[in-house]
Amino acid sequence: QIQLVESGGGSVQAGGSLRLSCASSTDIINTYCMGWFRQAPGKEREAVAHIDSDGSTWYADSVKGRFTISKDNAKYTLYLQMNSLKPDDTAMYYCAAAPVCGLNDPNEYNYWGQGTQVTVSS
């Protein structure tokens, strides 16, 4: 059974950093498109970044230059390094897996973690 478990969320001040982790129970990280999404209260879930099986990456404009997605295939773990955090980054963050990297639509992703909360204060 495929399980994704996020960790690393917390509360930080603006300008701070956090590193999120997503541990997988299988090697799905090696073969699937792995994405990070976030959802703030009252807003739709939005794609933040993804990394393909070949290591190619994509970032939302709002996080480009501040966030870095990476993975450790041997540890079955996905990461999201978040620097220069802003209050607008406050949201529940989810990792997810899709067979291929497409349009960053949440409906394309088959497997989801339970989420980890990130709160950035000004």
Side-chain angles (χ1 to χ4, degrees):
Q1 185 176 359
I2 295 171
Q3 288 186 319
L4 302 174
V5 180
E6 301 96 335
S7 61
S11 297
V12 297
Q13 290 191 328
S17 298
L18 284 172
R19 188 175 83 154
L20 306 184
S21 298
C22 171
S24 171
S25 59
T26 74
D27 65 351
I28 191 174
I29 281 181
N30 300 344
T31 57
Y32 268 49
C33 176
M34 299 300 301
W36 285 100
F37 288 77
R38 66 187 181 186
Q39 188 167 19
K43 295 188 177 181
E44 293 187 351
R45 191 167 296 189
E46 63 175 357
V48 174
H50 74 232
I51 184 166
D52 208 340
S53 56
D54 64 359
S56 58
T57 58
W58 167 89
Y59 297 93
D61 287 344
S62 59
V63 307
K64 202 172 292 183
R66 300 188 297 121
F67 290 11
T68 303
I69 189 171
S70 63
K71 59 179 179 172
D72 186 326
N73 288 345
K75 295 183 178 179
Y76 298 172
T77 303
L78 177 73
Y79 302 100
L80 185 69
Q81 178 66 44
M82 305 186 296
N83 298 328
S84 302
L85 283 161
K86 304 175 181 180
D88 284 349
D89 296 319
T90 295
M92 184 72 77
Y93 283 71
Y94 301 89
C95 69
V100 296
C101 286
L103 299 176
N104 298 310
D105 183 338
N107 293 319
E108 297 177 327
Y109 286 74
N110 305 96
Y111 304 100
W112 291 84
Q114 83 290 348
T116 186
Q117 178 69 37
V118 171
T119 303
V120 184
S121 59
S122 57

